[in-house]
Amino acid sequence: MQERGQRKYQVRFGWGAAGAARIAADAHLLVWVDVLPATATATAAAPGSDGTRAPLALLPDGPEVVLGHLGNVTAVAERVLRLQADRGDRCVVAVVAAGHLDEPVGGGAADDAGEFRDVPAVPEFAVEDLLAAGAVVDALVTSGVDHTSPEAAAACAAWTGLRQAATHLVTASESAGALDVDRVHAALAVGPELVTLRPSTERA
């Protein structure tokens, strides 16, 4: 029986911290895709004031972690190409959709009491994160990094099939409906810069 984790593929796709743990342990770059952060209280690094949350403590050690969204997929692909050039070998990329969690990862009364709170194995589906993850995969494929897992290929197909309606789908989504309109538009207007949430922790 083949082990789960999409290990034979260069570009992989999963959901949430549990998905990252499964597909990114041997990756060189982890792209944490979070289009509409739910709250302004980030549990780890929060670039700028947009409240982006990435549960860095729950992500596997090793890969560099960058933030992915609809506005910076070209920068993500360029980063992968630079890593490949630096390595002189292919770069394994784990594209991880954050999805929706009702509470911040690691937060709440359990933390206040010093107790470990279980993290849901798979976050709720978030259409905006699926589309953005697919857009990242599509940008990688366009740049020549196209050895994708079936999971990554399916996310890419969602993006390529729906890209013309992407803005409408995101603004009309369940996640957007729970946020202030201005916050949604601000999240969609984030620029093309690549934000590194954590440098690689690989030993030289």
Side-chain angles (χ1 to χ4, degrees):
M1 180 180 294
Q2 183 178 349
E3 181 182 358
R4 294 184 68 194
Q6 306 168 39
R7 294 296 177 91
K8 66 181 181 179
Y9 298 102
Q10 183 179 3
V11 182
R12 308 163 183 173
F13 172 70
W15 284 93
R22 191 175 68 253
I23 69 171
D26 62 340
H28 304 101
L29 186 71
L30 191 161
V31 185
W32 181 259
V33 180
D34 194 4
V35 176
L36 297 176
T39 70
T41 55
T43 53
S49 59
D50 64 352
T52 300
R53 58 181 186 174
L56 297 182
L58 299 176
L59 300 182
D61 290 334
E64 175 181 332
V65 180
V66 299
L67 177 65
H69 52 77
L70 288 167
N72 73 346
V73 297
T74 298
V76 172
E78 290 172 348
R79 179 59 183 148
V80 172
L81 295 179
R82 287 197 303 273
L83 284 171
Q84 292 195 148
D86 292 344
R87 287 175 43 79
D89 196 1
R90 72 177 194 164
C91 172
V92 175
V93 185
V95 181
V96 181
H100 174 72
L101 294 174
D102 288 330
E103 297 180 10
V105 174
D111 276 1
D112 294 340
E115 300 173 356
F116 179 79
R117 184 174 70 85
D118 289 337
V119 177
V122 180
E124 290 184 17
F125 176 85
V127 66
E128 67 277 7
D129 293 342
L130 175 66
L131 291 174
V136 169
V137 176
D138 184 52
L140 292 173
V141 169
T142 300
S143 70
V145 184
D146 59 1
H147 188 219
T148 61
S149 70
E151 292 78 7
C156 183
W159 164 250
T160 57
L162 296 170
R163 70 170 72 192
Q164 298 300 325
T167 299
H168 167 71
L169 291 171
V170 172
T171 56
S173 70
E174 184 178 63
S175 300
L179 298 174
D180 179 85
V181 173
D182 290 338
R183 186 169 176 76
V184 173
H185 288 300
L188 291 176
V190 175
E193 297 79 13
L194 186 67
V195 174
T196 300
L197 301 176
R198 186 188 73 191
S200 172
T201 57
E202 279 188 327
R203 292 180 179 176

